[in-house]
Amino acid sequence: AVNGARAAGELPVLVVHPTGDTEIRRRQARAIATGAASTDVTYEEIAGAPHHLEGHRPAAMRLVAEWIAARFP
């Protein structure tokens, strides 16, 4: 890796899927996570949230912030 950059397979991947999404199905979101070329893949669901996370954005942002903080202290 150059200047501390990570190789592609070492880049962490977070897939967050709102279960109330009518645009992207769970199986599609899971396929994205499963197909990620990384050794660090996290798949999270936000129960009942719609596609644009209306009403669930604070919870989604906490989830993302905690995930980032755990990997990039």
Side-chain angles (χ1 to χ4, degrees):
V2 177
N3 297 328
R6 297 178 183 200
E10 297 175 357
L11 293 173
V13 174
L14 172 62
V15 177
V16 178
H17 182 68
T19 64
D21 193 339
T22 59
E23 303 296 321
I24 299 171
R25 306 293 184 240
R26 278 188 196 174
R27 64 178 166 70
Q28 293 170 308
R30 288 181 182 140
I32 291 167
T34 300
S38 176
T39 57
D40 180 4
V41 179
T42 303
Y43 174 82
E44 296 283 347
E45 292 183 346
I46 300 180
H51 184 75
H52 292 287
L53 301 169
E54 295 93 336
H56 299 267
R57 290 180 185 148
M61 294 313 302
R62 272 191 304 278
L63 186 152
V64 173
E66 289 171 4
W67 183 88
I68 291 171
R71 283 156 181 82
F72 303 96

